[in-house]
Amino acid sequence: MTCDRLVCANCAGPVNEGRCAVCRAHRERLHREAPLAHLSPTALIALLVTLIAVALVAQRVATA
């Protein structure tokens, strides 16, 4: 989850702007808990495809 669309209940501002202490704390907690959250869906799909390709190559090398 990203904080791009979250609205703070304390200051009613976007959490990603960090207007108040609550916003900043929540934004930091989100970034600590989800290290891959800053990646776009396209980047995650590319990473998955790359991992599958590496696994297939490793399997072919192991059986050869």
Side-chain angles (χ1 to χ4, degrees):
M1 171 188 272
T2 63
C3 53
D4 294 339
R5 296 178 187 247
L6 294 178
V7 176
C8 178
N10 190 42
C11 68
V15 172
N16 63 348
E17 290 181 5
R19 293 182 184 177
C20 69
V22 176
C23 292
R24 289 187 293 274
H26 189 69
R27 183 179 59 192
E28 290 302 317
R29 185 179 65 81
L30 280 175
H31 290 288
R32 261 195 324 267
E33 288 180 357
L36 295 179
H38 65 280
L39 292 175
S40 68
T42 306
L44 289 174
I45 290 171
L47 180 62
L48 179 64
V49 168
T50 303
L51 289 174
I52 291 171
V54 168
L56 289 174
V57 168
Q59 181 183 15
R60 288 190 181 199
V61 168
T63 58

